Amino acid sequence: MELRNRKKNSDGVTGGDDRELFSGYSKSGQVRSSRSIFLFCLAFRVVNALLIQTYFNPDEHWQSLEVAHRTVFGYGYLTWEWKRGIRSYLHPMLFAFLYKVLDLTGLDTPYIMSKAPRIMQSIFSAVGDLYLYKLSDALYGENVASWSLFCQMANWFLFFCLNRTFSNCLETVLTIMGLYYWPCIRDSSKAYPVNRKWGLFIAALACAIRPTSAIIWLYVGMLELFLTRNKVKFIILEVIPIGSLVLGLTCLLDRLMYGSWVIVPLNFLKFNFLSSGGDYYGTHPWHWYFTQGFLVMLFTFTPFSIAGMVKSKNQKLSVLILWVLALYSVLGHKEFRFVLPVLPIALIFSGYAFAQMEASGSSLSSTAKKKQVSRKNHIIKWSPKLRLSVFFLLATNIPMALYMSLVHQRGTETAMNYLSEEAYKGRVKSILFLMPCHSTPYYSTLHSNIPMRFLDCTPSEIKGELDESDRFLVDPLGFATELARNWSKPPSHIVLFASEETKLGDFMIQHSFKKVKRFFHAHFKVDRDLQSSVVVYAIED
């Protein structure tokens, strides 16, 4: 691919003449290039998925895999969100399909059940990586695309989070795919054609999977409406039909699964925006995304992303990032993964900054200075500044990615994998979790239809009333003693954090429970006390 005769388009974004930029770049060559890039990304993401052995947020299991497991195998726990109809079945059905295949083939063993969902997600992630490359290439050229892909692979938070089974992760993939097809985001070209109808369909799908994705697509849609010539055609013949089709199919699926008509986006809007229901799980100051959240996700890429925004002068994508961060800042409850869809966009700007450093530090041979020379004749020499920057990013992001994926908060996952193997061998009859609600995976990992009990934390209709999880943390011994009075038969196993173990020592002895396993969990506290390890007790015969 030749990258010469660069020009500036009407938006002030550095682009390239279509005839020059894609000179000698055949369709078959593009297909081969896309295939090789995808296979590389897929191999990387599969390894990435297998390395993830830690617990991040309950929704990874409880709002996707648990629902899918219940759908296919007939047992699993539905949280209160599903009883109020604020979640769509569209995302869990992807994993229900996976579980059905494993069920029919007899491959639903404990190990495969724990690994398969993240491997499936790794396929989606690889598609997102490919489209990030294609979007960067269409915007700025092949060199920026290569650097953007490097930044995507090297970023610690994407390594840690993108292969998890959150709806936010699929939303992120769909966001990158959708932006690639929107005319308002980039210029059309023969090698990388835009297709607004595809962009609309993907945007509608992202909103169906996660209604808050509308924050992104409202911005993109308004920008397209402003720039397009035929505004009536855009709204009447494209937005309304495609949006109605996706919404209708999603409502039909939810009607089938819920057993009644449920308009999930409306219920979601009422709970999270109109009633601030999400605040029940904690709030952060309005500036949290700008001063902590998004900066932690970008980590050491932050200065490069800012430099790329300034140098590229791409106001459309820069404003998109600021728009998303600003609107999410209005909500009291904030989480890292809520703004995950705009993280790859910020990394495109990092790729642009690196490409600029490479260009300023490269030297050309005398023959390469001729006008018609191809890129393969360029003699690229990385400047000390570029080498130091790459080393700095790898030295900071790789240890962070590995620590968060392999070490931090791994105890709850390891304990459930252990219990799954024990239950598979018939050694576990029932389990009680004396720990904050949703601290571990559940039936989707255990994959045995045995009684299990965890401490409920459904939001109360009475303001200020403590749920089971909070009552236990206030008085672990008193709560456990009261619970034991109502046992018709004690559980065969109890799981708890080390921070509560010392408070329940006498209780365990009194009820004939013996410690059988201890699993390391974390070096430092996250929400409450330090939860250094997860302890499994079993009742003595």
Side-chain angles (χ1 to χ4, degrees), residues 54-68 77-82 86-88 91-92 95 99 117-118 121 161 164-169 209-210 212 268 271-272 278 281 333-338 413 437-442 444 457:
T54 54
Y55 198 72
F56 177 26
N57 183 280
D59 282 8
E60 178 184 3
H61 299 279
W62 292 79
Q63 304 297 356
S64 56
L65 302 184
E66 195 68 17
V67 181
Y77 188 89
L78 294 183
T79 62
W80 62 269
E81 290 98 330
W82 298 91
I86 63 174
R87 297 276 183 177
S88 174
H91 182 244
F95 299 100
Y99 283 156
R118 285 173 180 163
Q121 178 62 36
C161 184
R164 297 181 185 269
T165 54
F166 294 114
S167 58
N168 310 85
C169 297
I209 288 173
R210 189 160 184 86
T212 49
F268 190 93
F271 181 80
N272 287 285
Y281 293 105
H333 181 60
K334 299 175 176 66
E335 294 186 32
F336 295 107
R337 58 193 176 92
F338 290 172
E413 295 249 345
C437 67
H438 307 143
S439 293
T440 69
Y442 214 51
S444 59
C457 57

Side-chain angles (χ1 to χ4, degrees), residues 16 29 73-74 156 168 187 239 350 358 502 525:
F73 297 103
W156 82 270
N168 310 85
D187 294 333
V239 174
S350 290
E358 181 186 20
T502 55
K525 65 180 183 180

Side-chain angles (χ1 to χ4, degrees), residues 293-444:
F294 199 61
L295 296 184
V296 170
M297 296 164 69
L298 266 178
F299 199 40
T300 49
F301 282 95
T302 301
F304 302 101
S305 292
I306 294 175
M309 289 180 186
V310 174
K311 292 181 179 180
S312 68
K313 300 179 182 178
N314 189 331
Q315 297 179 359
K316 296 174 184 176
L317 290 180
S318 299
V319 172
L320 174 57
I321 296 173
L322 296 175
W323 164 268
V324 170
L325 296 181
L327 261 65
Y328 272 108
S329 294
V330 175
L331 301 177
H333 181 60
K334 299 175 176 66
E335 294 186 32
F336 295 107
R337 58 193 176 92
F338 290 172
V339 295
L340 181 64
V342 293
L343 179 58
I345 301 173
L347 293 174
I348 290 177
F349 288 120
S350 290
Y352 187 96
F354 275 101
Q356 289 291 306
M357 278 193 283
E358 181 186 20
S360 62
S362 63
S363 60
L364 303 180
S365 64
S366 57
T367 57
K369 293 180 181 178
K370 295 181 179 179
K371 185 177 180 180
Q372 298 298 325
V373 73
S374 66
R375 178 177 171 80
K376 66 182 180 180
N377 289 328
H378 289 190
I379 301 174
I380 304 298
K381 182 180 179 181
W382 282 13
S383 65
K385 178 181 177 182
L386 179 58
R387 289 198 299 268
L388 181 62
S389 298
V390 171
F391 175 78
F392 170 67
L393 286 176
L394 294 178
T396 50
N397 279 268
I398 291 177
M400 185 75 160
L402 294 178
Y403 178 78
M404 296 298 292
S405 300
L406 291 169
V407 180
H408 181 60
Q409 295 192 133
R410 66 171 292 156
T412 50
E413 295 249 345
T414 310
M416 282 306 295
N417 290 333
Y418 162 75
L419 289 169
S420 177
E421 293 284 355
E422 292 293 290
Y424 187 70
K425 298 171 183 176
R427 298 173 183 168
V428 180
K429 304 303 179 185
S430 58
I431 307 173
L432 170 63
F433 296 90
L434 289 178
M435 53 203 335
C437 67
H438 307 143
S439 293
T440 69
Y442 214 51
Y443 280 110
S444 59

Side-chain angles (χ1 to χ4, degrees), residues 181-202:
Y181 289 109
W182 278 83
C184 65
I185 298 299
R186 63 179 183 82
D187 294 333
S188 178
S189 68
K190 292 182 179 179
Y192 289 106
V194 293
N195 189 326
R196 192 166 65 189
K197 292 185 178 65
W198 264 115
L200 271 166
F201 177 76
I202 294 171

